[in-house]
Amino acid sequence: MRLVLVGPPGAGKGTQAEFVAAHLCVPKISTGDIFRANVSQGTPLGMEAKRYMDAGGLVPDQVTIDMVRDRLAESDASDGFLLDGFPRTVPQAVALDKMLADLGTSLDLVMELVVDDDEVIRRLSGRRNCRSCGKVWHLEFDAPVRDGICDRCNGDLFQRDDDKPETVAERLRVYGRDTAPLIDYYGPQGKLVGMDATGPVEDVTVRAIDALRSYGA
Ligand code: ADP
Ligand code: ADP
């Protein structure tokens, strides 16, 4: 299964991607995670990406597309994958179709997580990430037992710089301008399934897996 998750920042893509990828036995490929790993390792890619990420903008298409092409060439992605956060622009979607066509394959499904702006802001403002294992928590909806400490690995929790209110507004604007047009790109291809992503995490996961089942996955 070759699947893409689309949705505004904070919709729950990363959270659902974990469960759905495990259910499908495919790797979860998150461009945001790959960029953040490069930023923390101080690679040239990370240094370039950071400028855009900190401002709430998108990393340029060509940089992102080259990075995804390399990742999809790895052997674990040969039989399927779940892309979280890519494509985020129509040129990225066109490039992905071309990459897959060159490999003799194509995307199966694009799942859109639908959440309104107020909920997105609630989810982003309470998001906390573990510095050691990367697990994502939420101060209100999925709070760790001890303040600021990850229950899974005892690591420190931090708030992403781009989750601060001044950057969130810009990210939502960029989503509407650059990413929402993907709906019109994938809709006519018959590959788009829209899904209500409100309510408890487990309910959304059940909805996602049911939707996949009805598409034969
Ligand atoms: P969120 O989970 O909140 O939607 P991500 O972790 O997916 O955010 O991405 C964080 C940042 O990384 C984005 O705001 C953007 O700067 C950069 N980024 C991630 N994926 C892409 C992409 N496909 N194209 C361009 N920039 C990206
Ligand atoms: P995205 O990858 O789309 O940016 P995340 O998966 O990181 O979104 O989720 C954003 C925040 O919202 C996280 O703190 C996460 O714990 C929380 N969250 C995710 N799904 C839900 C949900 N169904 N209900 C409440 N909070 C959620």
Side-chain angles (χ1 to χ4, degrees), residues 9 13 31-32 36 53 57 59 85-86 88 92 127 160 171:
K13 298 182 298 298
T31 42
R36 276 186 293 280
M53 295 167 80
V59 180
F86 181 93
R88 244 176 166 98
Q92 291 181 13
R127 173 158 66 184
R160 279 169 46 176
R171 288 164 71 204

Side-chain angles (χ1 to χ4, degrees), residues 38-118:
N38 276 276
V39 170
S40 62
Q41 288 157 18
T43 67
L45 172 66
M47 284 189 277
E48 178 173 11
K50 187 173 179 348
R51 300 196 342 247
Y52 301 96
M53 295 167 80
D54 285 352
L58 295 180
V59 180
D61 281 339
Q62 205 50 54
V63 174
T64 309
I65 289 164
D66 289 347
M67 181 178 88
V68 171
R69 184 181 296 105
D70 289 349
R71 179 63 187 86
L72 290 183
E74 288 178 31
S75 57
D76 65 336
S78 61
D79 290 335
F81 51 75
L82 191 168
L83 280 166
D84 156 23
F86 181 93
R88 244 176 166 98
T89 65
V90 170
Q92 291 181 13
V94 172
L96 177 62
D97 280 347
K98 166 96 177 44
M99 255 180 245
L100 294 176
D102 288 347
L103 295 168
T105 182
S106 61
L107 268 187
D108 295 303
L109 211 60
V110 177
M111 193 173 270
E112 181 197 4
L113 300 189
V114 180
V115 186
D116 69 26
D117 280 5
D118 287 347

Side-chain angles (χ1 to χ4, degrees), residues 8-16 84 119 123-124 126-128 136-138 141-142 197-201 204:
K13 298 182 298 298
T15 303
Q16 295 305 327
D84 156 23
E119 180 64 14
R123 289 186 184 182
L124 289 178
R127 173 158 66 184
R128 293 295 181 273
V136 178
W137 298 91
H138 193 282
F141 304 127
D142 185 15
T198 57
V201 169
V204 180

Side-chain angles (χ1 to χ4, degrees), residues 139-152:
L139 294 183
E140 192 185 335
F141 304 127
D142 185 15
V145 174
R146 294 160 299 171
D147 254 5
I149 310 274
C150 177
D151 286 344
R152 183 157 82 179

